[in-house]
Amino acid sequence: MTTGNLHSALYGLVGYPLGHSFSRAFFNDKFAREGIDAEYRNFELPSIEDFPKLIAEHPNLRGLNVTIPYKQAVIPYLDELSDEARAIGAVNVIKISHSSDASRPYLKGYNSDIIGFTDSIRPLLQSHHKRALVLGTGGASKAICHGLDDLGIEWHYVTRHRPITVPEHSITVPKCSPEGPFTYSDITPALLADYTVIINCTPLGMFPHIDAAPTIPYAALSPRHLLYDLVYNPEITMFMRQGRRFGATVKNGLEMLHRQALASWNFWNEQDL
């Protein structure tokens, strides 16, 4: 049931489930602090097929964030993609524009993950950080790989099974690894000597399953390694804890989340051309 002032701008998060999300508190705090007449809600959709109904039932919607499992599945419902979203093959921001002479709103998809990731990892990079292992092949990992390209870092997917099926709208298997992705059994101490950046794009270690972590030979890590975990709850994941144990630099995904949230607000409020 719709609540609140219908004339206030409405924003929200689409995904399933949404118990782990921080976006609602982040944006509603921002609106209260800055005197913005708007509200941010969570919209749990058991199926992406419910997306058109969500748009139709909330005419004051101005923007949405998109999280798992719909970053790719939402694309067919959009009218336009930004160049970055098209290249990445995943959307986590939707701008909803309304026009008096249009029968329905116009939906444009963006990806702010790449902005949040590159801005937050760049200060940690050193000259020996030339190659990265990207753990996981979901929508978030595609933005991470695009960001690594922008940072000039070679990257290689790591997946549980070989081969992987590259979905429609996806980027291709990395150009630095023509033989295809690694599996976890391929990650040896010798491999880790060359790949000194490791990025966890899986949900392993996310609350409440805080004792889980990707299966890699942590004892082969050193102070030359940088471990970046997209998970931010808990603050120190098992992946990070194991990396820190062997001297690696570690960082969670909270700053990335803050930066991509601010980028979302900029996308929602950019002037239409």
Side-chain angles (χ1 to χ4, degrees):
M1 180 173 64
T2 302
T3 59
N5 185 353
L6 184 62
H7 300 291
S8 300
L10 179 62
Y11 301 88
L13 176 67
V14 172
Y16 191 83
L18 294 178
H20 65 280
S21 170
F22 99 121
S23 299
R24 181 170 59 182
F26 178 90
F27 280 106
N28 284 329
D29 286 348
K30 173 182 174 65
F31 298 156
R33 187 173 63 253
E34 300 180 15
I36 299 171
D37 185 17
E39 179 187 1
Y40 192 101
R41 300 184 201 165
N42 284 351
F43 297 104
E44 286 195 336
L45 297 185
S47 169
I48 193 59
E49 294 177 358
D50 297 325
F51 183 76
K53 182 180 178 183
L54 169 68
I55 300 298
E57 289 183 348
H58 297 84
N60 55 334
L61 264 174
R62 296 296 180 267
L64 291 167
N65 290 120
V66 183
T67 188
I68 54 174
Y70 299 136
K71 288 187 177 185
Q72 294 171 309
V74 76
I75 289 176
Y77 296 91
L78 306 181
D79 298 294
E80 183 183 354
L81 297 179
S82 69
D83 292 341
E84 291 80 8
R86 180 176 291 103
I88 294 166
V91 163
N92 74 327
V93 183
I94 300 172
K95 180 181 180 180
I96 303 172
S97 302
H98 298 263
S99 174
S100 59
D101 59 355
S103 59
R104 62 178 184 82
Y106 189 86
L107 277 59
K108 182 174 180 179
Y110 300 83
N111 194 297
S112 65
D113 282 340
I114 183 175
I115 298 172
F117 171 68
T118 55
D119 286 354
S120 62
I121 198 174
R122 187 180 285 110
L124 301 177
L125 294 174
Q126 300 183 40
S127 59
H128 61 269
H129 291 143
K130 299 181 184 302
R131 295 182 179 88
L133 295 176
V134 179
L135 312 183
T137 57
S141 70
K142 293 168 177 56
I144 297 309
C145 294
H146 198 85
L148 290 170
D149 281 339
D150 289 350
L151 293 167
I153 298 175
E154 294 182 8
W155 51 270
H156 204 131
Y157 275 134
V158 179
T159 185
R160 289 178 296 173
H161 306 290
R162 186 190 289 120
I164 61 169
T165 299
V166 180
E168 187 178 2
H169 305 296
S170 169
I171 58 175
T172 60
V173 169
K175 55 181 176 292
C176 62
S177 55
E179 72 277 17
F182 292 133
T183 63
Y184 285 92
S185 61
D186 295 322
I187 305 178
T188 63
L191 187 75
L192 288 183
D194 287 332
Y195 288 83
T196 53
V197 179
I198 308 172
I199 303 162
N200 179 34
C201 299
T202 79
L204 287 171
M206 182 184 294
F207 182 86
H209 306 292
I210 60 174
D211 292 329
T215 305
I216 64 173
Y218 291 98
L221 298 176
S222 72
R224 290 172 52 83
H225 285 87
L226 167 60
L227 272 60
Y228 189 106
D229 200 336
L230 268 62
V231 173
Y232 58 89
N233 183 16
E235 182 178 352
I236 304 295
T237 63
M238 183 58 69
F239 173 73
M240 295 167 61
R241 196 180 307 277
Q242 289 284 69
R244 182 180 286 177
R245 178 184 173 195
F246 295 101
T249 299
V250 301
K251 187 178 182 70
N252 70 17
L254 188 58
E255 183 186 357
M256 172 179 167
L257 203 61
H258 277 265
R259 288 179 177 271
Q260 69 89 2
L262 293 173
S264 298
W265 182 248
N266 291 335
F267 287 138
W268 292 332
N269 290 279
E270 72 175 6
Q271 295 298 312
D272 295 312
L273 298 178

